[in-house]
Amino acid sequence: MQFIDLQAQYQELKSNIDRRIQTVLNHGKYILGPEVQELEEALNQYVNVEHTITCANGTDALQLALMTMDIGPGDIVFCPTFTFFASAEVISLVGATPVFVDVDSQTFNLCPEALEKSIVNVLTSSKLKPKAIISVDLFGLPADYPKLKKIAKQYDLKIIEDSAQGFGGKIDGQLAGSFGDIATTSFFPAKPLGCYGDGGAVFTNNEDYANILKSLRVHGKGQDKYDNIRIGLNSRLDTIQAAVLLEKLKVFPAELARKEAIANQYSTLFGDAMVTPYIPKGYQSAWAQFTVKTTQRDKFIKKLNLAGIPAMIYYQTCMHQQQAFDNKVVINNAFPVAELLAQQVMSLPMHAYLKDQDIENIAEILISS
Ligand SMILES: *Cc1c(COP(=O)(O)O)cnc(C)c1O
């Protein structure tokens, strides 16, 4: 059994994907070819935003967002401590200072109360200037944007929504990728919408941001490619990857519906044997991961592995515990929730091609413990 079965998906979509790739090979426009623009328009429609700017990967997408907002040395960016390294890495990469914040014990997303405390703490004790919040839609669940937006407004902060895992998630019907002043996603193969290599995108409704982003992804270009008006990156999505994504986007809603059914089946079968994911009212997860909490993690993983079933730990190390951030952090918050999660979380196989029988087998192994 695969943790995320990309082969099963490819077998389903093979003829369409192969045809799309062949079209690119025939026209030969490998960089910013017509499929890239077609994908950006399709993503505008799907996410319901005005501008999609595709780029090379989800980490660049975050860096591009920070560069667009002119965030750098002397600035503070708040970020959950329980996330993938890239969400925090980019803050230091552009020379700004990360301030890590604890997460909510039920949703695992940025805790609004802890965030506000941390902002007040920074304002009273640091000369650095708070500029933005990188909110992460962890494991597929959008963060608490109704509350985060209020806080951002009150303290004049921008929101960068890291939706690398949240693409396809919703709050009251509104899609992830549309909540931040700028939102980002990743098309890394194992993400909810993945291509066959690296890829990413930035979403915004702000036209000025969109123009800067389009310049930044091509070496800070001006009117033409050899007229450079700012320092940028080389960060484009390959045309072949856009072609793959166009085909995958067509089946994406059906895949989400299947994953929703799998999540419900898991939760029903597990009963009280572990703490299953909490989805607040009005929210929908993109089910990037199905992550449970348990005090018997080691035992569970051993039993699953013995049966040939993969289980993963996302994440064992919080950002405030990463050596890379030693001496780069100015405010030390407390992180009791995140530290406990790091000890108790376990992610189970989750993809749209999982069979009912697989789910029953996993539940049987875990419950018979
Ligand atoms: C995967 C991921 C990223 C980075 O995306 P890449 O395409 O791998 O660079 C950023 N943030 C989160 C939360 C992720 O899961």
Side-chain angles (χ1 to χ4, degrees), residues 190-203:
K191 306 282 172 167
L193 180 65
C195 59
Y196 292 155
D198 279 307
V202 187
F203 307 106

Side-chain angles (χ1 to χ4, degrees), residues 228-305:
N228 303 91
I229 57 174
R230 54 172 66 83
I231 301 299
L233 302 177
N234 173 14
S235 186
R236 298 167 297 224
L237 180 73
D238 293 343
T239 310
I240 286 179
Q241 301 301 348
V244 170
L245 287 165
L246 278 162
E247 286 309 315
K248 288 211 192 182
L249 186 58
K250 287 185 195 158
V251 299
F252 187 67
E255 289 186 343
L256 280 179
R258 172 65 187 145
K259 290 201 281 185
E260 181 75 22
I262 292 168
N264 288 334
Q265 199 182 347
Y266 265 146
S267 292
T268 306
L269 291 172
F270 293 159
D272 299 332
M274 62 202 82
V275 182
T276 53
Y278 168 73
I279 308 297
K281 197 166 169 292
Y283 283 62
Q284 266 173 277
S285 176
W287 297 111
Q289 304 294 342
F290 187 89
T291 303
V292 300
K293 269 194 295 189
T294 169
T295 51
Q296 307 182 71
R297 179 167 77 185
D298 292 348
K299 189 176 91 181
F300 281 160
I301 291 179
K302 214 183 233 165
K303 291 187 82 166
L304 288 169
N305 290 349

